[in-house]
Amino acid sequence: MVTDLDLARLRRCVELAAAARNRGDHPFGSLLVTADGRTIEAMNTVVTRSDPTGHAETNLVRLAAEALPADVLATSTLYTSTEPCAMCAGAIYWSGIARVVYALAEDGLADIVVEQEGVPTMRLPCREVFARGGRPVAVAGPADLPEAIAVHDHFWG
């Protein structure tokens, strides 16, 4: 279930996605909130760092893992403007993060983006990736947030 507080945090993710887009990166943004309210934010850096793994969620997992111990990650929630791809879901799983909340669903993104730089999108919902693991990851989403779709308008050509 996506709560009103979750929606507010997802709106911040969309703001981060817009900032990434404005600097020339793909429009994705994420944040992590610990149980005691600490927040870490990240944006997509695929273009500006020439790194195909520079998705907002993988960047966030790296930052969070450097800054927080495993027991804190295990009680944290990762929020993201768009459902994590298979790569990002794997990073989230291995980080130990307990919960994921997203706005735009993977299939909704696939309707917008057929391919990225000539590579077809991967249609694999994060719930399917997490279901293959040995620990639970709670997932809430998609959230009805029109701005999570709008941030992609006219970006993907």
Side-chain angles (χ1 to χ4, degrees), residues 45-104:
T45 58
V46 166
V47 176
T48 56
R49 291 193 184 158
S50 299
D51 178 3
T53 69
H55 292 195
E57 299 92 340
T58 54
N59 288 338
L60 182 60
V61 166
R62 286 182 194 111
L63 290 170
E66 288 175 4
L68 302 169
D71 63 321
V72 173
L73 290 174
T75 60
S76 296
T77 298
L78 184 145
Y79 294 89
T80 190
S81 59
T82 303
E83 182 174 359
C85 71
M87 175 185 68
C88 293
I92 293 163
Y93 175 82
W94 290 113
S95 74
I97 293 169
R99 181 173 180 248
V100 173
V101 182
Y102 64 87
L104 178 61

Side-chain angles (χ1 to χ4, degrees), residues 2-147:
V2 178
T3 68
D4 288 341
L5 180 57
D6 291 335
L7 286 173
R9 291 172 173 162
L10 288 173
R11 285 186 181 93
R12 176 62 186 150
C13 291
V14 173
E15 290 172 359
L16 292 167
R21 177 184 176 150
N22 290 340
R23 72 172 188 210
D25 280 302
H26 299 168
F28 301 99
S30 299
L31 62 88
L32 181 119
V33 180
T34 65
D36 65 3
R38 289 178 282 172
T39 301
I40 299 172
E41 298 181 340
M43 294 181 277
N44 184 286
T45 58
V46 166
V47 176
T48 56
R49 291 193 184 158
S50 299
D51 178 3
T53 69
H55 292 195
E57 299 92 340
T58 54
N59 288 338
L60 182 60
V61 166
R62 286 182 194 111
L63 290 170
E66 288 175 4
L68 302 169
D71 63 321
V72 173
L73 290 174
T75 60
S76 296
T77 298
L78 184 145
Y79 294 89
T80 190
S81 59
T82 303
E83 182 174 359
C85 71
M87 175 185 68
C88 293
I92 293 163
Y93 175 82
W94 290 113
S95 74
I97 293 169
R99 181 173 180 248
V100 173
V101 182
Y102 64 87
L104 178 61
E106 171 270 335
D107 60 349
L109 180 65
D111 290 342
I112 298 168
V113 185
V114 176
E115 59 182 38
Q116 297 179 33
E117 286 82 37
V119 178
T121 58
M122 184 179 280
R123 292 176 177 253
L124 183 58
C126 69
R127 283 178 174 90
E128 289 185 34
V129 175
F130 296 141
R132 299 295 183 127
R135 71 169 185 89
V137 178
V139 179
D144 185 14
L145 209 62
E147 53 265 52

